[in-house]
Amino acid sequence: MNKRLSDLLSNQGDNYILPFFWQHGESEAVLREYMAKIQESNIGAVCVEARPHPDFAGEQWWHDLDIIIEEARNRNMKVWILDDAHFPTGYANGLLKKKPDSLRKQYVMYKSAVTAGPIAGGRLNVGKMARTVPMPGFGQADTFGEAKDQDTFDDDQFLGLVAYKVLPDNRLDISSVVDLGDKVKDGWLTWDVPAGEWRLFILYLTRNGGGNTSYINMIDPASCAVQIEAVYQPHYERYKNEFGKTIAGFFSDEPCIGNTFGYEANKVIGRKNMPLPWQPALPNLLNIAMGRDWQLKLPLLWFEGQTGDETAAQTRYAYMDIISRLIESSFSRQIGEWCSDHGVEYIGHIIEDNNQHSHLGSSMGHFFRSMAGQHMSGIDDIGNQVLPGCDNATRYSIVDGDGEFYHYMLGKLGSSLGHIDPIKKGRTMCEIFGAYGWREGVRMMKWLADHFLIRGVNHFVPHAFSPKDFPDPDCPPHFFAHGHNPQFRHFGSLMRYMNRMSHLLNGGQLVAPAAILYHGESSWTGKTQLMQKPARVLTECQIDFDVLPSDVFSDMDAFNTQFGGGVLSVNNNSYRCLIIPTTEYLTTDVANFAVQAQSEGFPVIFVDELPIGLADGNQTGRSLPDKLSECPVASLDHLPNLLDSLNIRDIRIAGSVPHLRAMHYVTDTDQFMFFNESLSKTIDVQVELPVKGDICRYDAWQNKTLICEREETADGSRVRLVLEPYESCFLICGESGQHPASKRLADLKTVKSIEAPWSVSFANAKSYPAFSDAARLEALVDLSIEKPFFSGTVRYETTFELDQVEGGEELLIEEANEAVEVWVNDQPAGLKICPPYRFAIDNLLKAGLNRIRIEATNTLANEMRDNTNPILEMFIPPTVEAPVGLSGRIEIRR
């Protein structure tokens, strides 16, 4: 018996949902009402966010949090606390401003001068250039939309002076480098400039000209400790008796290295004129990584060497390797260890958007290292990043978005860390639904939830419950909205569904036959193929995978990495091949593994071409192993055929079904989740599963098991899988279904079309279930034409004659917007929030005259049409508006 399925069928199971609960200083009555409403939504936890609160960690905050914790304790709920006064995490509630300047962010920066020699006794005022002068009006705000609050500093320090000859393509001649530091006296360089064109780099340290000065230095452990002092410790001192009980832990929201301001996506190492993070330990670390001449190589962090020279790539790798490991130890692990020591957990996410997960600026340089101290893996999907049916589109937001990354990599990037890091215990959290706008209703939410569930996400932070007076313009949708959201009751059904699905996807192990190498390190060093490219190919072929960083090969003990018998095992997750996206440079440990693995029959497949060098070869003095050329190379188009020839597949599907998503997950029995991501096409395929014995189909929406017909094969079982658009299901082994499975819609025959006239009436969320404005409809039409600002529930009522009831009758509503409830002869037939809108009604029908009542509930988008937030509009693209009510055919089929 599958224990987790048994839990669900007994209406048991844990809570996996912890929505943001925004705090503004509301009254006690409002806070208590909202805690009741959150629990009413089938949610067992909250994540309390102080971003809009006027007195974080002050008396008003403690007063409000006391109420929330008391309510949570009485309701057997958990409380998580977002760990700063506002996002991004790192402001340390303003405490850094009271600390020594040495704890503020520091950068290494350069000024350059170009000259042509020969010049005897050339002079340059280095002292004047070795500093950054802040320009008025360019400071960063402490939070989005607030007044600028940028400090300035006068402790800029000269670091060194280096000259390179400039080549015709504006690259640097590596062999020409000259150290001019000892030729600087009293701030002036005196140098006999040789013949040719030269670029002089004045290197200096500064606290000016980068990101927000009031944020901690993410690579300095003493600076990061201020975050604990300002936020974590005060909460422990007040609530130590609740730590590990009602208080579950803390949430970091989008911490960033912050060497630049804003969310631009291309803050990758190598960008000219970008200040780079610094702290006092770096000279020694760079000396170890790059050699005693490390200072001469610093200009290569911004400029390219001549074509074919590896020095720039190796310099950038060494620097980013150090920076990302300092972020890991100074920030992520320091906070995670503090939380562990105090009986709570640490969760959250960085900014992953548009491949920023491996960049500087608004992210943290390396996804896996920056999340190392957290007890769950974490990602976020807000602001129309993932859009149903739009995986080929460029996102419209503050910056253009890579739809392929969001649809084919974001979820898997998060869950991969959850799988391979022992501290995560297989758990991955996704902040979800936020800033999509009021047009996002439960129909889209259900699709988004399934999208991430089947990619391994098993905890969710819905965004958000806002108790501020309605309408709050801050990043809707808001799930209750003081009773104004007409879909609130449907939202609770969705949360129950998501908890059930998450319960089945916890406490077990993913079966992923393939691994893809994380492209983070290669993006630091040269030409890179984004890992979502092979990820898409595998996803559309139902070949599951995890993303592995090179660290699993260099720090095998930390990840419990083992290799043997043709299997790579990382934290007990087993892979049968490694796919390496196109890259110019590998690390030594990955290259050595590839050679060893290939010799033992484990495929290491390079996409398109082999690398040309080692990223960490400048100190090792090593080069690519000769035997690396024995590894197979395949184009993306030929990758599926190669994997099939190597017998890599786990789940086998007859034919090409690019919209079908599949996952094999094992708890005490094998479980297979499937999801049809198409919005229009039914999937009807034969699926071969590598298991024998009984199989049932579990319908998590109705919480029941269905009989699943199977045919035993030599290697397992063959099952017919039918999924209508939006549908998902589990096939669970070792179980026999208790209820007959629904027939394919195409196999049902229409026995009655329910025609007009209809009596319609209307109710908004506040008046429901009292309806008014009754009218007669002679045909189903878009009711928004007559009521363009209507948001709420439309009730449709009519009668129809039926000659006889034979059994097996279903009601099919072709289209609706968007949540639908049905009553037949005043008896409830069910609730659906997305297609297919089909309802089993045979036990409610009778021969003769029947009454039917259908309620269709839309979102708040129409009511809020003229109530827009200009900041939010930067996230939300213009879109085609959905009609109000029912449309298409309404039929009884059998």
Side-chain angles (χ1 to χ4, degrees):
M1 181 69 177
N2 186 299
K3 174 63 168 59
R4 289 186 170 266
L5 177 62
S6 179
D7 291 342
L8 296 177
L9 296 176
S10 303
N11 293 313
Q12 303 297 316
D14 294 330
N15 174 72
Y16 303 92
I17 301 174
L18 44 143
F20 281 156
F21 184 22
W22 292 344
Q23 298 303 302
H24 312 78
E26 281 79 18
S27 69
E28 178 176 345
V30 168
L31 295 178
R32 293 190 187 279
E33 176 193 18
Y34 261 74
M35 288 296 289
K37 291 299 181 182
I38 292 169
Q39 186 181 50
E40 183 182 316
S41 301
N42 301 301
I43 294 171
V46 293
C47 185
V48 182
E49 181 176 353
R51 175 171 58 86
H53 197 280
D55 188 31
F56 179 63
E59 287 306 312
Q60 180 65 44
W61 173 257
W62 302 130
H63 170 270
D64 297 349
L65 196 53
D66 286 349
I67 294 167
I68 293 169
I69 291 173
E70 179 185 319
E71 283 288 326
R73 184 172 56 245
N74 292 340
R75 297 176 180 279
N76 195 29
M77 297 172 69
K78 299 295 184 184
V79 174
W80 297 79
I81 300 167
L82 203 143
D83 68 348
D84 218 331
H86 51 67
F87 83 94
T89 289
Y91 178 62
N93 199 26
L95 181 59
L96 195 66
K97 288 178 175 289
K98 301 176 182 178
K99 296 293 184 178
D101 288 352
S102 60
L103 296 181
R104 301 292 189 101
K105 291 180 182 177
Q106 191 175 34
Y107 314 104
V108 58
M109 192 49 181
Y110 73 94
K111 296 282 179 64
S112 70
V114 176
T115 188
I119 302 174
R123 300 260 290 164
L124 182 66
N125 189 340
V126 173
K128 182 179 180 180
M129 298 179 68
R131 59 193 181 99
T132 293
V133 179
M135 298 180 65
F138 284 85
Q140 179 183 358
D142 273 349
T143 189
F144 208 66
E146 286 188 1
K148 295 176 174 60
D149 185 20
Q150 198 79 328
D151 294 327
T152 58
F153 304 87
D154 58 4
D155 62 344
D156 290 5
Q157 304 170 45
F158 172 72
L159 183 62
L161 179 57
V162 179
Y164 280 89
K165 184 174 283 188
V166 181
L167 298 172
D169 56 1
N170 201 36
R171 292 171 175 256
L172 305 181
D173 181 350
I174 301 299
S175 64
S176 70
V177 62
V178 180
D179 185 355
L180 299 175
D182 60 356
K183 297 184 180 298
V184 178
K185 304 296 182 184
D186 299 324
W188 281 87
L189 166 70
T190 303
W191 181 42
D192 293 333
V193 183
E197 183 181 354
W198 293 83
R199 185 180 291 272
L200 284 72
F201 292 91
I202 298 94
L203 302 164
Y204 63 98
L205 305 181
T206 182
R207 302 187 194 278
N208 301 306
N212 197 315
T213 59
S214 58
Y215 276 70
I216 60 175
N217 186 351
M218 290 289 179
I219 60 173
D220 182 347
S223 184
C224 293
V226 177
Q227 184 76 29
I228 296 174
E229 179 186 351
V231 178
Y232 289 74
Q233 194 64 36
H235 283 83
Y236 177 72
E237 290 169 0
R238 186 173 181 91
Y239 299 115
K240 64 177 65 176
N241 293 332
E242 296 290 351
F243 268 48
K245 298 174 184 175
T246 305
I247 295 178
F250 292 88
F251 186 110
S252 275
D253 193 21
E254 301 181 359
C256 61
I257 191 67
N259 58 304
T260 61
F261 172 54
Y263 294 90
E264 190 179 350
N266 63 345
K267 302 296 176 62
V268 66
I269 190 71
R271 177 169 173 159
K272 292 181 175 60
N273 298 314
M274 182 168 67
L276 297 177
W278 193 264
Q279 67 112 305
L282 273 172
N284 183 54
L285 296 172
L286 290 168
N287 181 58
I288 295 171
M290 296 165 57
R292 288 181 295 177
D293 61 347
W294 61 269
Q295 198 174 109
L296 303 185
K297 299 173 184 176
L298 288 186
L300 300 174
L301 297 176
W302 298 279
F303 283 76
E304 298 290 342
Q306 62 260 44
T307 302
D309 190 282
E310 300 179 349
T311 311
Q314 293 169 347
T315 299
R316 293 172 186 181
Y317 173 83
Y319 174 82
M320 286 298 297
D321 185 53
I322 291 168
I323 293 299
S324 56
R325 292 186 187 280
L326 283 173
I327 290 172
E328 175 182 346
S329 61
S330 302
F331 179 75
S332 183
R333 288 199 184 276
Q334 182 176 189
I335 293 178
E337 289 167 4
W338 186 95
C339 287
S340 293
D341 291 343
H342 292 77
V344 293
E345 291 191 312
Y346 174 45
I347 64 173
H349 68 88
I350 64 168
I351 285 185
E352 319 89 0
D353 311 24
N354 290 347
N355 312 296
Q356 290 186 80
H357 52 81
S358 63
H359 295 177
L360 300 172
S362 62
S363 197
M364 297 280 265
H366 191 288
F367 178 80
F368 292 88
R369 294 175 187 174
S370 66
M371 301 283 292
Q374 298 197 5
H375 293 91
M376 297 183 195
S377 181
I379 55 173
D380 77 331
D381 170 47
I382 65 166
N384 296 274
Q385 291 171 339
V386 176
L387 283 173
C390 296
D391 41 331
N392 294 316
T394 297
R395 298 281 80 79
Y396 170 96
S397 187
I398 291 178
V399 294
D400 287 341
D402 177 358
E404 203 166 55
F405 166 76
Y406 293 126
H407 285 256
Y408 294 97
M409 180 46 61
L410 177 59
K412 292 300 293 183
L413 181 64
S415 66
S416 297
L417 176 57
H419 297 150
I420 67 173
D421 184 356
I423 193 177
K424 308 296 189 283
K425 300 177 182 177
R427 299 175 299 171
T428 298
M429 174 279 303
C430 180
E431 179 187 328
I432 196 168
F433 305 146
Y436 273 73
W438 284 114
R439 72 184 180 88
E440 180 195 29
V442 289
R443 175 172 173 158
M444 183 188 291
M445 291 178 188
K446 162 67 162 56
W447 191 99
L448 291 172
D450 282 334
H451 171 95
F452 285 102
L453 282 161
I454 204 162
R455 287 160 172 82
V457 174
N458 50 20
H459 289 74
F460 292 91
V461 177
H463 179 310
F465 280 91
S466 175
K468 188 176 181 178
D469 291 344
F470 180 83
D472 179 3
D474 188 354
C475 296
H478 306 138
F479 309 124
F480 178 54
H482 286 281
H484 289 269
N485 190 334
Q487 292 189 349
F488 176 64
R489 62 189 185 278
H490 312 95
F491 176 78
S493 296
L494 174 62
M495 294 300 101
R496 182 171 54 237
Y497 167 83
M498 289 168 63
N499 264 327
R500 287 171 180 163
M501 296 290 279
S502 297
H503 192 67
L504 289 175
L505 293 175
N506 272 273
Q509 205 87 29
L510 177 73
V511 178
I516 298 176
L517 185 68
Y518 179 55
H519 77 229
E521 290 90 334
S522 64
S523 73
W524 303 339
T525 56
K527 182 174 68 176
T528 305
Q529 180 183 66
L530 301 176
M531 56 197 172
Q532 51 262 38
K533 296 296 183 180
R536 179 171 191 165
V537 171
L538 269 60
T539 300
E540 292 183 339
C541 292
Q542 296 81 46
I543 301 173
D544 211 348
F545 62 91
D546 272 333
V547 177
L548 302 183
S550 62
D551 294 350
V552 304
F553 304 104
S554 59
D555 194 357
M556 299 179 70
D557 289 341
F559 291 94
N560 189 21
T561 303
Q562 301 177 34
F563 177 69
V567 174
L568 171 64
S569 175
V570 183
N571 192 32
N572 298 315
N573 298 277
S574 298
Y575 312 100
R576 291 187 280 123
C577 72
L578 175 66
I579 298 166
I580 300 182
T582 309
T583 179
E584 286 190 282
Y585 298 94
L586 283 183
T587 64
T588 300
D589 293 308
V590 173
N592 288 341
F593 170 78
V595 171
Q596 177 193 358
Q598 190 67 29
S599 70
E600 297 184 23
F602 178 93
V604 177
I605 303 164
F606 289 88
V607 178
D608 288 337
E609 59 190 54
L610 292 168
I612 63 173
L614 293 177
D616 53 348
N618 57 345
Q619 278 295 88
T620 64
R622 298 170 182 166
S623 58
L624 282 173
D626 291 337
K627 289 186 175 294
L628 198 70
S629 60
E630 298 177 6
C631 293
V633 177
S635 68
L636 289 176
D637 290 341
H638 290 95
L639 184 58
N641 290 336
L642 175 59
L643 295 178
D644 281 339
S645 71
L646 297 169
N647 196 30
I648 295 299
R649 284 185 188 267
D650 176 60
I651 300 170
R652 296 183 178 274
I653 310 291
S656 173
V657 195
H659 290 104
L660 177 62
R661 306 291 171 254
M663 177 173 63
H664 183 183
Y665 190 81
V666 179
T667 53
D668 42 0
T669 68
D670 290 86
Q671 306 172 159
F672 299 87
M673 182 182 171
F674 297 94
F675 175 41
N676 181 1
E677 287 198 343
S678 172
L679 304 185
S680 59
K681 296 180 180 179
T682 297
I683 290 173
D684 186 350
V685 293
Q686 295 291 328
V687 178
E688 294 188 14
L689 306 176
V691 294
K692 296 180 182 287
D694 291 336
I695 299 174
C696 77
R697 176 166 171 158
Y698 175 64
D699 182 338
W701 186 259
Q702 300 184 76
N703 195 29
K704 63 182 184 182
T705 58
L706 308 175
I707 296 170
C708 180
E709 295 184 7
R710 68 175 186 86
E711 174 188 351
E712 193 162 297
T713 66
D715 299 319
S717 302
R718 183 180 296 113
V719 176
R720 184 185 183 188
L721 178 69
V722 180
L723 291 173
E724 302 293 338
Y726 288 85
E727 273 195 321
S728 63
C729 75
F730 268 98
L731 299 182
I732 299 181
C733 301
E735 305 288 339
S736 298
Q738 299 299 308
H739 302 273
S742 298
K743 291 186 177 180
R744 186 177 185 268
L745 277 175
D747 295 334
L748 298 176
K749 298 188 180 301
T750 301
V751 297
K752 181 71 177 181
S753 293
I754 301 179
E755 307 289 351
W758 293 88
S759 173
V760 296
S761 52
F762 303 84
N764 63 26
K766 283 290 191 178
S767 63
Y768 185 89
F771 287 80
S772 60
D773 296 338
R776 177 185 171 95
L777 283 184
E778 298 300 332
L780 294 178
V781 295
D782 177 8
L783 297 172
S784 69
I785 297 172
E786 295 295 328
K787 292 179 175 286
F789 293 95
F790 177 75
S791 290
T793 302
V794 184
R795 174 178 285 179
Y796 295 77
E797 297 176 284
T798 194
T799 60
F800 61 91
E801 294 276 353
L802 198 63
D803 292 339
Q804 60 183 351
V805 179
E806 296 182 5
E809 285 84 2
E810 293 188 30
L811 178 73
L812 176 66
I813 300 171
E814 188 173 26
E815 183 58 285
N817 277 289
E818 55 183 33
V820 175
E821 293 178 83
V822 173
W823 290 260
V824 176
N825 296 318
D826 297 320
Q827 298 299 310
L831 178 155
K832 297 291 177 70
I833 62 173
C834 67
Y837 296 107
R838 60 189 295 187
F839 301 83
I841 59 172
D842 52 349
N843 61 331
L844 306 178
L845 291 169
K846 62 184 180 181
L849 186 66
N850 291 267
R851 287 184 53 82
I852 187 168
R853 182 167 84 248
I854 304 173
E855 292 182 359
T857 304
N858 68 348
T859 70
L860 263 173
N862 288 344
E863 182 177 330
M864 303 303 294
R865 182 174 296 174
D866 291 342
N867 193 318
T868 58
N869 182 330
I871 295 176
L872 182 62
E873 286 181 335
M874 292 190 292
F875 292 92
I876 300 176
T879 186
V880 176
E881 296 179 0
V884 169
L886 307 179
S887 57
R889 296 168 297 172
I890 300 180
E891 300 175 338
I892 295 175
R893 294 187 180 183
R894 181 186 303 132

